[in-house]
Amino acid sequence: MKIYHIDPIGDPRWLALVEAHPEATSFHHPGWMRALRETYGYGAIALTTAAPGEALHDGLALGLVRSALTGRRLVSVPFADHCAPLAQGEESLAALVRAAQELAREKRCRFVEFRPVSPWSAECAASVGVGPSFRATLHQLDLAPAEEALLKACHESSIRRNIRKAEREKLRYDSGNSEKLLDDFFSLMVMTRRKHRLPPQPRAWFKNLLDELPGIAKIHAAYHGDVPAAAIFTCAFGRRYIYKYGASDPAYMNLGGTPLLFWRAIQEAKAAGLAWFDMGRTDIGHEGLATFKERWGAKPAPLEYYRAPAPALADIGRDGGFVKLAGPVFARLPDSMLIAAGKFFYRHMG
């Protein structure tokens, strides 16, 4: 089966495929790859069995990460929780995955990583020469039930009661892609990432996502008066409404801002007729986050990434030794230096 290389940003056939394919998400969208290029300088390549001039019926998106610190690699795709190959059956999948391995060799990459939304069988992975590289959990809320049933399925004390509390406290809700919302969201991100002893992603990353994914990427924020109390960043495309980032001010944690924002986003996803509210990846060991997601009625499912060459063992967390050692330093840096650290390190982490 012959494989062709295309530019998923410049070739309009890629967007046509993504808009038509039932498994496509915002992570497949050319806007996501433009934001990666503009923020971090990553290259974008897609593989397909469709010849030039033909409509695409399958495709595999890849981001090329070049880093002097972490090495050169192909990833499908950087900073995505999942990005399933848009294949047409097992033969198409095998051809695309093998072609990606060949491309990685040509570009002298350390590895190529695949991030399907559902785990591949051991037989499938072995047949195409890949092995598990990372294991986590994906939480997904089925939006088929009526809105009243979705709310009733939520945990009474930690979810429904907090939504009511936010409403009693008259927290103000706003959403969109304005500079004001971005500034408020980013200020909360700096607070939250410091709490977790990590630098924030660059503000430019969120700005570029909002600019390159209009009508798809959005910030939702809750305010106590004029003070931002909590904010989340979502992307809605295809059949999935994806929660991607969240942040809050600990001083207003007890007002229910975060549950209010999730509920407003779920209502929006339901009204738009989407199939899934995707609460994103939860790394092993983050039991508190997993519990929060499950109290919304979201069902956990295994999430596995694969690499070629296959690693000896799969990771069960993204917090490597450097992050653990640098955590105390990040926690003490002034905001300006913490933000600068994020600008430097994230381009090496895709």
Side-chain angles (χ1 to χ4, degrees):
M1 188 174 291
K2 188 171 178 55
I3 300 294
Y4 301 89
H5 298 184
I6 66 169
D7 173 11
I9 294 175
D11 192 328
R13 295 180 301 161
W14 180 259
L15 179 57
L17 171 67
V18 169
E19 289 178 332
H21 201 288
E23 293 184 30
T25 72
S26 52
F27 300 132
H28 294 89
H29 198 282
W32 184 272
M33 287 175 268
R34 276 195 300 269
L36 288 171
R37 182 182 64 187
E38 292 160 12
T39 311
Y40 303 113
Y42 297 164
I45 307 165
L47 307 178
T48 181
T49 62
E54 294 181 352
L56 303 190
H57 50 268
D58 61 10
L60 171 63
L62 295 161
L64 177 60
V65 180
R66 305 176 185 90
S67 168
L69 293 181
T70 56
R72 182 188 294 248
R73 56 201 179 274
L74 286 171
V75 181
S76 181
V77 292
F79 298 117
D81 294 343
H82 48 75
C83 189
L86 304 180
Q88 290 267 323
E90 293 183 3
E91 185 180 1
S92 168
L93 174 64
L96 293 171
V97 169
R98 291 192 180 106
Q101 295 177 56
E102 178 60 31
L103 181 63
R105 287 189 289 269
E106 290 175 8
K107 293 190 174 293
R108 303 185 304 282
C109 294
R110 291 175 51 225
F111 59 78
V112 55
E113 183 171 78
F114 307 95
R115 300 180 175 183
V117 70
S118 299
W120 295 338
S121 69
E123 295 76 15
C124 174
S127 71
V128 291
V130 303
S133 58
F134 176 71
R135 291 190 172 98
T137 303
L138 180 66
H139 285 85
Q140 305 171 94
L141 177 64
D142 185 352
L143 294 173
E147 183 179 304
E148 295 78 8
L150 289 171
L151 183 59
K152 187 175 181 180
C154 296
H155 193 274
E156 166 58 26
S157 61
S158 62
I159 303 299
R160 284 186 282 166
R161 186 179 300 169
N162 276 315
I163 294 172
R164 293 195 296 269
K165 185 171 187 178
E167 292 169 344
R168 285 198 309 273
E169 294 286 344
K170 294 183 169 51
L171 291 188
R172 179 171 60 86
Y173 169 77
D174 195 8
S175 69
N177 61 356
S178 70
E179 288 290 329
K180 173 67 164 57
L181 279 167
L182 176 57
D183 287 341
D184 292 341
F185 169 75
F186 189 68
S187 69
L188 293 171
M189 281 294 290
V190 174
M191 270 187 229
T192 300
R193 298 297 280 179
R194 178 186 299 284
K195 176 183 173 183
H196 294 296
R197 299 185 166 197
L198 292 167
Q201 293 86 350
R203 182 186 183 279
W205 168 238
F206 304 113
K207 170 65 172 171
N208 288 331
L209 285 176
L210 292 172
D211 288 347
E212 298 298 345
L213 294 168
I216 296 173
K218 177 186 288 190
I219 292 169
H220 310 250
Y223 293 86
H224 185 254
D226 292 328
V227 180
I232 63 174
F233 193 108
T234 64
C235 294
F237 183 79
R239 303 174 70 236
R240 288 177 180 267
Y241 198 110
I242 297 174
Y243 159 75
K244 183 56 181 165
Y245 301 103
S248 61
D249 185 336
Y252 300 100
M253 191 78 73
N254 64 341
L255 299 184
T258 297
L260 175 68
L261 296 177
F262 269 83
W263 178 236
R264 290 294 183 90
I266 290 169
Q267 288 178 304
E268 185 175 287
K270 175 67 179 173
L274 277 67
W276 299 98
F277 188 83
D278 185 328
M279 293 193 172
R281 190 183 84 194
T282 305
D283 290 358
I284 304 301
H286 293 203
E287 285 83 5
L289 180 58
T291 298
F292 172 77
K293 293 176 180 180
E294 288 163 21
R295 285 179 173 174
W296 288 93
K299 302 301 181 186
L303 184 67
E304 286 193 348
Y305 300 165
Y306 302 87
R307 284 184 185 175
L313 293 172
D315 292 335
I316 56 171
R318 288 300 205 201
D319 295 342
F322 170 77
V323 171
K324 292 176 182 176
L325 288 173
V329 177
F330 290 143
R332 290 174 173 81
L333 289 177
D335 284 354
S336 60
M337 293 183 68
L338 191 66
I339 291 168
K343 290 179 180 178
F344 175 78
F345 283 113
Y346 277 99
R347 70 175 54 255
H348 303 284
M349 297 170 62

